[in-house]
Amino acid sequence: MQNTQDQDRQWSRHAAKYDELFLDALDPSVENPIWAALDAVPKPQSRTIADLGCGTGPLLPRLVGRFGRVVALDFAPAMIARARTRVEGHADADSVTFETRAMHDLDDFAGQFDVVVAINSLVMPDVREIDRTLRAIRASLRPGGQFLGVLPSMDAIHYHTMLLMDQALDRGLEIEEAERSAAFHAEHQYYEFAFGRFQFLGLRQKFWQPFEIRHRMAKAGFASVELGQVLYPWDESMAGGADFADHPRSWDWSFVARP
Ligand SMILES: C[S@@+](CC[C@H](N)C(=O)[O-])C[C@H]1O[C@@H](n2cnc3c(N)ncnc32)[C@H](O)[C@@H]1O
């Protein structure tokens, strides 16, 4: 797909400065239900786990040595190059296979994975590609396998907007001014809210509503999906963050899906 061709180049372009540009769902300051889900996998030494859209590989140090076999996949060559450096010199580095390809391309892994993880990487802007990828992931799982991960939340942007709006009104702004201010600080110019998309620095990413997660997982043949929230600290990376400390934290969606 033309779309995939373009986006792999765009993601590669951002590999070097990735940490400066993106919220990290795996940062220790973030409360992430994925850790408990990974810790709960029984007999990990006898399991194969795939990290799809592994990016610069922040999850890999937690997987290597614990799981018997690890497949780290990303379609952006520069991401894979950085991910490789995370396991260099590790005693179990041989247990990791790196794959530079799109994550719908899993035919040769059919029925092989016990666990598939996708951390903020199911973000293809074309929903046909999302559906195709979810079907491929479903087919890559062994019986009893599970698919878990994190998805960027569209509704969290609405939540942030609401808090910014109230803050602007409390400062005495008129309603139109408050709306303009909230839209500016929540960076609405980068979002297509109706279709759940975010476009920034050449990257086009899907953002998710919880009903769409359930809908697309069911459509791809997952019988159950449990949702949770990845909670981010209010800090300077979010406009107005320091003032929102008394409010519930912003989130992305975590999920565990089973065939
Ligand atoms: C937001 S980053 C997240 C990276 C990593 N999982 C993390 O938590 O830091 C998204 C990653 O998914 C990759 N990606 C996006 N769409 C993909 C696709 N269709 N096939 C393979 N990789 C993809 C990008 O190259 C990028 O490295």
Side-chain angles (χ1 to χ4, degrees):
M1 268 189 195
Q2 184 56 38
N3 210 9
T4 306
Q5 290 300 317
D6 167 61
Q7 287 300 295
D8 58 2
R9 272 208 318 274
Q10 294 293 345
W11 280 108
S12 255
R13 216 162 58 80
H14 292 294
K17 295 203 167 166
Y18 182 85
D19 310 330
E20 293 165 33
L21 286 171
F22 293 89
L23 276 184
D24 181 6
L26 304 176
D27 190 87
S29 66
V30 176
E31 200 175 309
N32 192 335
I34 286 303
W35 298 125
L38 280 173
D39 287 347
V41 174
K43 300 194 201 125
Q45 269 303 325
S46 62
R47 311 274 176 204
T48 298
I49 187 163
D51 182 4
L52 303 185
C54 65
T56 66
L59 188 60
L60 295 179
R62 292 283 288 254
L63 308 181
V64 184
R66 181 169 149 73
F67 286 87
R69 188 172 162 228
V70 180
V71 174
L73 180 152
D74 203 290
F75 67 0
M79 291 289 186
I80 289 288
R82 280 197 67 188
R84 280 182 192 279
T85 66
R86 303 254 191 188
V87 299
E88 267 167 17
H90 193 288
D92 293 301
D94 287 353
S95 66
V96 189
T97 310
F98 290 93
E99 297 283 349
T100 308
R101 56 164 110 169
M103 65 174 107
H104 63 255
D105 182 7
L106 298 175
D107 284 358
D108 50 331
F109 289 110
Q112 289 191 28
F113 298 141
D114 298 288
V115 185
V116 170
V117 190
I119 308 287
N120 280 331
S121 55
L122 265 176
V123 291
M124 296 70 105
D126 181 334
V127 290
R128 294 169 303 178
E129 212 179 325
I130 298 256
D131 287 344
R132 175 157 77 138
T133 301
L134 288 176
R135 285 196 302 272
I137 292 171
R138 161 79 186 78
S140 75
L141 288 174
R142 283 205 180 110
Q146 56 178 313
F147 174 34
L148 46 99
V150 176
L151 297 167
S153 157
M154 187 80 267
D155 44 329
I157 309 302
H158 290 282
Y159 171 61
H160 189 204
T161 301
M162 176 192 77
L163 294 180
L164 287 165
M165 183 73 192
D166 278 7
Q167 187 188 48
L169 290 171
D170 289 347
R171 286 205 318 267
L173 267 59
E174 287 302 324
I175 196 87
E176 294 83 3
E177 288 175 303
E179 285 183 6
R180 262 201 305 280
S181 169
F184 173 76
H185 289 294
E187 303 184 320
H188 285 195
Q189 73 270 30
Y190 300 127
Y191 292 92
E192 288 172 76
F193 286 102
F195 291 103
R197 267 192 304 256
F198 173 69
Q199 179 155 356
F200 182 59
L201 299 174
L203 296 170
R204 298 184 72 223
Q205 288 178 260
K206 168 118 198 95
F207 271 53
W208 295 75
Q209 295 278 2
F211 59 82
E212 187 170 4
I213 304 173
R214 293 193 190 93
H215 171 77
R216 296 205 181 282
M217 294 289 182
K219 204 173 154 187
F222 289 95
S224 77
V225 53
E226 287 162 44
L227 299 186
Q229 281 180 315
V230 175
L231 296 169
Y232 293 95
W234 287 119
D235 60 22
E236 66 285 352
S237 69
M238 281 188 236
D243 300 330
F244 299 146
D246 293 339
H247 294 283
R249 285 169 283 173
S250 187
W251 66 92
D252 279 329
W253 290 105
S254 69
F255 65 89
V256 179
R258 293 187 174 84

